[in-house]
Each structure stands twice: as structure tokens, then as C-alpha cells.
Amino acid sequence: MNHVNLPIYFITAGFILASSTGIAGEDIPFDEAELFFELNDTDGDLGIHGKVDGDEWKRLEIEDPNERRMMTVRANGRLKRQGITELFFESAEPTFDELEPADFFKRFPEGIYEIEGITLDGEERENEVFLSHVIPAAPDNVTINGMPAAEDCDADLLPVVSAPVTLTWEPVLGSHNELGKEGDVVVRYYEVVVEIDDTDYKSTSIIPGDLTQWTVADPDFFTLSEEGEYKFEILVRAESGNKSAVESCFIVE
């Protein structure tokens, strides 16, 4: 199967929450450690995500602001001898009917979380990361080639457009007005994904936070779906690390 590789217009460096240079008498941090929330505003669900990257480690623990352990990872057997350098995880994302946002945030209180690990050489690694309850508003008033986006992919009528396809949206200027808490939001970047469901065909681009338009320039991408239907997601990531996304579908004739 041939894959279409479309250009990434902007690449953002990893979200590093602590210096990788240790100081005598201080804890040596992982190169990268982060925790953040991700909201799917279209489906109405929330999840917590995390990433740790650094020297080979054999044990990892995460403690919440109340010093309660919420996650432990141990390498065993051959993997313990080899070590782990990078870990990314995301929680289940039940809908708001199953878990109300207020109850979700009670499970994961705002504050400082400690991420601690032991390397293969027995050295300790520790990062303190702040998990914020300020969730950025989701991108709004999305258009496809000037046509308003459908509410979701199950809508009776989807926009019908011709290639090339340009997505636009209003800039995200503040926090979500229905969940989390109110606060300032600075956009780090937007991420736009266009894909064909149940296939590996996907176009992903990360663009600067001061831009609110993106075009899939390669016309060949829009010859890959037999039905002509494509799904898109527009995601905003705040400087806090938290993300909000909207998604829908359109048809290319």
C-alpha cells in the first residue's frame, strides 16, 4: 500500500518541563516529562495523557499533589536489562454521560505531580510537573473551502467540496466556558489531521498558534477515498500542555 506523505509546515520542540542538567545536591530530572488533559469537544470526552523521556530506566512512579501514587511502571526480565527510555500513555476517555467533567477533575486534581524513576545504573530521576485545570476552548466556526463544517460525521448532510481543500477556524483566545476552570490561555500550536477512516492514509500538520488556516495542497490525497469522504480533526494545544479538539467529515467530489 502506498502512503501519501504531506509536508509538516511547523514543528514544535518537545514540552520540556525541567532542565536536563543536574546540579549537585538537586534531583536529576528526566529529559522530558509532562502530564496534560485532552478534550474531544465533539464527542464530549476527556482523558489524561503523559510522556516521559530520558536515560534508560527500570522503574517509574507518578504521585499526585496529595502524594498518592497513581501509576507505577516496572520493567522485568529482558526488558529490565535493556531499560526503557520513552513512555507515552493516555487514559480511557469515557463520555460525559459516563463520567461528568467535575468528577473527572476530582480524580486528577490540579497541582504539582511528581514523576520519579530509577535508571539501570540505580540513579534517581525526578520531575515536578504542573497539571492545570484550565482547558483551552475548542476551535470554533470551522469551514471547509468556505462552507460551514457539519456538527459531526453523523450529520445527514456533509459539505461537498473540490480539491484543494482549505480548513479555517476562529482563533482560540481563552479557556473552555463549560468545563475546567477559567484562566488565561496561550496557544502553543494547532494540529490539523485529515484522514480516511479504517485506512493508514492520513495527513497531519502542526502549524503556529497565530495561524488559523490550513490547506491540503497535494491533490493526489483526495483520490484515495473510494467514497470521497474524509474525516478531519483540528486540535489546539495550550502552553500548559492541555489540548482541545473538534472533528467532523466532508466529501470531495
Side-chain angles (χ1 to χ4, degrees):
M1 179 180 293
N2 294 323
H3 298 267
V4 174
N5 295 317
L6 296 179
I8 294 178
Y9 295 99
F10 183 84
I11 299 177
T12 299
F15 187 37
I16 300 177
L17 295 169
S19 168
S20 60
T21 302
I23 301 175
E26 294 187 0
D27 294 319
I28 302 174
F30 287 99
D31 295 338
E32 186 175 1
E34 59 179 322
L35 291 172
F36 58 91
F37 295 121
E38 182 167 322
L39 165 71
N40 184 320
D41 204 49
T42 301
D43 292 343
D45 61 53
L46 271 164
I48 183 171
H49 296 213
K51 182 180 180 181
V52 180
D53 195 2
D55 295 335
E56 300 90 343
W57 51 267
K58 58 186 177 182
R59 178 183 171 88
L60 181 78
E61 291 184 354
I62 301 178
E63 290 186 353
D64 71 11
N66 300 312
E67 298 184 349
R68 295 177 299 188
R69 187 183 305 164
M70 72 173 218
M71 180 174 169
T72 300
V73 179
R74 291 177 180 267
N76 293 306
R78 296 181 178 89
L79 184 57
K80 184 177 181 179
R81 296 195 296 271
Q82 187 74 17
I84 302 171
T85 60
E86 184 176 10
L87 175 71
F88 173 80
F89 70 87
E90 57 182 276
S91 71
E93 298 175 341
T95 64
F96 297 157
D97 293 337
E98 302 171 86
L99 180 65
E100 293 185 0
D103 293 330
F104 172 86
F105 287 118
K106 287 180 181 178
R107 285 185 179 178
F108 306 103
E110 183 177 77
I112 299 294
Y113 286 68
E114 290 188 356
I115 301 177
E116 303 174 333
I118 303 295
T119 70
L120 291 186
D121 297 329
E123 294 182 344
E124 295 184 1
R125 296 287 184 269
E126 180 177 344
N127 293 65
E128 293 185 344
V129 301
F130 182 75
L131 184 63
S132 171
H133 279 185
V134 178
I135 307 299
D140 197 12
N141 292 327
V142 179
T143 67
I144 305 99
N145 286 7
M147 299 183 64
E151 182 177 355
D152 54 40
C153 288
D154 296 326
D156 292 334
L157 295 175
L158 298 177
V160 180
V161 298
S162 299
V165 171
T166 298
L167 298 171
T168 64
W169 59 94
E170 289 187 354
V172 173
L173 302 176
S175 56
H176 201 281
N177 60 7
E178 295 181 359
L179 52 85
K181 75 175 193 179
E182 185 178 356
D184 296 332
V185 170
V186 177
V187 175
R188 190 191 306 178
Y189 63 79
Y190 295 99
E191 182 175 353
V192 182
V193 180
V194 179
E195 62 182 326
I196 306 170
D197 274 347
D198 302 322
T199 75
D200 293 329
Y201 294 121
K202 179 183 295 187
S203 166
T204 302
S205 290
I206 297 175
I207 63 176
D210 59 349
L211 298 181
T212 57
Q213 178 174 304
W214 178 80
T215 299
V216 182
D218 188 345
D220 292 337
F221 182 74
F222 294 109
T223 66
L224 301 176
S225 171
E226 295 180 1
E227 294 80 18
E229 184 171 319
Y230 292 82
K231 180 179 180 180
F232 72 86
E233 178 181 48
I234 302 174
L235 180 149
V236 57
R237 186 166 202 189
E239 286 294 348
S240 67
N242 291 336
K243 299 180 178 182
S244 294
V246 291
E247 58 185 37
S248 187
C249 292
F250 58 88
I251 295 172
V252 176
E253 59 180 4

PDB file of all heavy atoms in Angstrom, residues 13-27:
ATOM      1  N   ALA A  13       9.145  22.102  19.309  1.00  0.00           N
ATOM      2  CA  ALA A  13      10.023  21.291  20.144  1.00  0.00           C
ATOM      3  C   ALA A  13       9.232  20.659  21.263  1.00  0.00           C
ATOM      4  O   ALA A  13       8.156  21.105  21.629  1.00  0.00           O
ATOM      5  CB  ALA A  13      11.129  22.176  20.732  1.00  0.00           C
ATOM      6  N   GLY A  14       9.759  19.571  21.818  1.00  0.00           N
ATOM      7  CA  GLY A  14       9.094  18.856  22.899  1.00  0.00           C
ATOM      8  C   GLY A  14       8.879  19.759  24.103  1.00  0.00           C
ATOM      9  O   GLY A  14       9.624  20.700  24.347  1.00  0.00           O
ATOM     10  N   PHE A  15       7.851  19.456  24.865  1.00  0.00           N
ATOM     11  CA  PHE A  15       7.476  20.255  26.021  1.00  0.00           C
ATOM     12  C   PHE A  15       8.343  19.846  27.192  1.00  0.00           C
ATOM     13  O   PHE A  15       8.054  18.912  27.921  1.00  0.00           O
ATOM     14  CB  PHE A  15       5.995  19.999  26.332  1.00  0.00           C
ATOM     15  CG  PHE A  15       5.426  20.883  27.401  1.00  0.00           C
ATOM     16  CD1 PHE A  15       5.811  22.199  27.508  1.00  0.00           C
ATOM     17  CD2 PHE A  15       4.482  20.374  28.284  1.00  0.00           C
ATOM     18  CE1 PHE A  15       5.259  23.008  28.472  1.00  0.00           C
ATOM     19  CE2 PHE A  15       3.938  21.176  29.256  1.00  0.00           C
ATOM     20  CZ  PHE A  15       4.322  22.489  29.343  1.00  0.00           C
ATOM     21  N   ILE A  16       9.477  20.536  27.395  1.00  0.00           N
ATOM     22  CA  ILE A  16      10.431  20.162  28.423  1.00  0.00           C
ATOM     23  C   ILE A  16      10.114  20.960  29.671  1.00  0.00           C
ATOM     24  O   ILE A  16      10.114  22.187  29.659  1.00  0.00           O
ATOM     25  CB  ILE A  16      11.877  20.428  27.969  1.00  0.00           C
ATOM     26  CG1 ILE A  16      12.160  19.601  26.700  1.00  0.00           C
ATOM     27  CG2 ILE A  16      12.867  20.089  29.072  1.00  0.00           C
ATOM     28  CD1 ILE A  16      13.531  19.841  26.131  1.00  0.00           C
ATOM     29  N   LEU A  17       9.858  20.246  30.773  1.00  0.00           N
ATOM     30  CA  LEU A  17       9.426  20.892  31.988  1.00  0.00           C
ATOM     31  C   LEU A  17      10.531  21.042  33.007  1.00  0.00           C
ATOM     32  O   LEU A  17      10.326  21.572  34.077  1.00  0.00           O
ATOM     33  CB  LEU A  17       8.265  20.096  32.596  1.00  0.00           C
ATOM     34  CG  LEU A  17       7.014  20.106  31.717  1.00  0.00           C
ATOM     35  CD1 LEU A  17       6.018  19.096  32.255  1.00  0.00           C
ATOM     36  CD2 LEU A  17       6.381  21.469  31.695  1.00  0.00           C
ATOM     37  N   ALA A  18      11.715  20.534  32.717  1.00  0.00           N
ATOM     38  CA  ALA A  18      12.827  20.695  33.648  1.00  0.00           C
ATOM     39  C   ALA A  18      14.114  20.588  32.871  1.00  0.00           C
ATOM     40  O   ALA A  18      14.205  19.917  31.855  1.00  0.00           O
ATOM     41  CB  ALA A  18      12.777  19.626  34.737  1.00  0.00           C
ATOM     42  N   SER A  19      15.153  21.272  33.344  1.00  0.00           N
ATOM     43  CA  SER A  19      16.445  21.223  32.684  1.00  0.00           C
ATOM     44  C   SER A  19      17.027  19.830  32.780  1.00  0.00           C
ATOM     45  O   SER A  19      16.841  19.120  33.758  1.00  0.00           O
ATOM     46  CB  SER A  19      17.398  22.211  33.355  1.00  0.00           C
ATOM     47  OG  SER A  19      18.718  22.000  32.928  1.00  0.00           O
ATOM     48  N   SER A  20      17.731  19.401  31.736  1.00  0.00           N
ATOM     49  CA  SER A  20      18.345  18.086  31.743  1.00  0.00           C
ATOM     50  C   SER A  20      19.719  18.114  32.402  1.00  0.00           C
ATOM     51  O   SER A  20      20.406  17.098  32.451  1.00  0.00           O
ATOM     52  CB  SER A  20      18.468  17.555  30.303  1.00  0.00           C
ATOM     53  OG  SER A  20      19.267  18.433  29.538  1.00  0.00           O
ATOM     54  N   THR A  21      20.140  19.282  32.902  1.00  0.00           N
ATOM     55  CA  THR A  21      21.445  19.389  33.543  1.00  0.00           C
ATOM     56  C   THR A  21      21.275  19.357  35.050  1.00  0.00           C
ATOM     57  O   THR A  21      20.621  20.208  35.630  1.00  0.00           O
ATOM     58  CB  THR A  21      22.127  20.714  33.156  1.00  0.00           C
ATOM     59  OG1 THR A  21      22.248  20.765  31.749  1.00  0.00           O
ATOM     60  CG2 THR A  21      23.510  20.803  33.791  1.00  0.00           C
ATOM     61  N   GLY A  22      21.838  18.357  35.695  1.00  0.00           N
ATOM     62  CA  GLY A  22      21.704  18.223  37.136  1.00  0.00           C
ATOM     63  C   GLY A  22      22.680  19.132  37.852  1.00  0.00           C
ATOM     64  O   GLY A  22      23.757  19.455  37.370  1.00  0.00           O
ATOM     65  N   ILE A  23      22.285  19.578  39.053  1.00  0.00           N
ATOM     66  CA  ILE A  23      23.130  20.392  39.906  1.00  0.00           C
ATOM     67  C   ILE A  23      23.395  19.598  41.173  1.00  0.00           C
ATOM     68  O   ILE A  23      22.499  18.940  41.701  1.00  0.00           O
ATOM     69  CB  ILE A  23      22.448  21.734  40.242  1.00  0.00           C
ATOM     70  CG1 ILE A  23      22.150  22.493  38.943  1.00  0.00           C
ATOM     71  CG2 ILE A  23      23.301  22.567  41.176  1.00  0.00           C
ATOM     72  CD1 ILE A  23      21.381  23.764  39.163  1.00  0.00           C
ATOM     73  N   ALA A  24      24.614  19.659  41.664  1.00  0.00           N
ATOM     74  CA  ALA A  24      24.972  18.901  42.850  1.00  0.00           C
ATOM     75  C   ALA A  24      23.988  19.188  43.973  1.00  0.00           C
ATOM     76  O   ALA A  24      23.682  20.337  44.277  1.00  0.00           O
ATOM     77  CB  ALA A  24      26.398  19.244  43.284  1.00  0.00           C
ATOM     78  N   GLY A  25      23.478  18.119  44.600  1.00  0.00           N
ATOM     79  CA  GLY A  25      22.541  18.267  45.695  1.00  0.00           C
ATOM     80  C   GLY A  25      21.100  18.386  45.257  1.00  0.00           C
ATOM     81  O   GLY A  25      20.213  18.425  46.107  1.00  0.00           O
ATOM     82  N   GLU A  26      20.846  18.441  43.956  1.00  0.00           N
ATOM     83  CA  GLU A  26      19.489  18.533  43.453  1.00  0.00           C
ATOM     84  C   GLU A  26      19.139  17.270  42.687  1.00  0.00           C
ATOM     85  O   GLU A  26      20.008  16.554  42.197  1.00  0.00           O
ATOM     86  CB  GLU A  26      19.329  19.754  42.544  1.00  0.00           C
ATOM     87  CG  GLU A  26      19.490  21.082  43.260  1.00  0.00           C
ATOM     88  CD  GLU A  26      19.156  22.243  42.355  1.00  0.00           C
ATOM     89  OE1 GLU A  26      18.809  21.988  41.172  1.00  0.00           O
ATOM     90  OE2 GLU A  26      19.232  23.395  42.807  1.00  0.00           O
ATOM     91  N   ASP A  27      17.823  17.024  42.583  1.00  0.00           N
ATOM     92  CA  ASP A  27      17.370  15.863  41.827  1.00  0.00           C
ATOM     93  C   ASP A  27      17.688  16.045  40.353  1.00  0.00           C
ATOM     94  O   ASP A  27      17.543  17.136  39.794  1.00  0.00           O
ATOM     95  CB  ASP A  27      15.864  15.681  42.008  1.00  0.00           C
ATOM     96  CG  ASP A  27      15.501  15.328  43.439  1.00  0.00           C
ATOM     97  OD1 ASP A  27      16.227  14.518  44.043  1.00  0.00           O
ATOM     98  OD2 ASP A  27      14.500  15.872  43.945  1.00  0.00           O
TER      99      ASP A  27
END
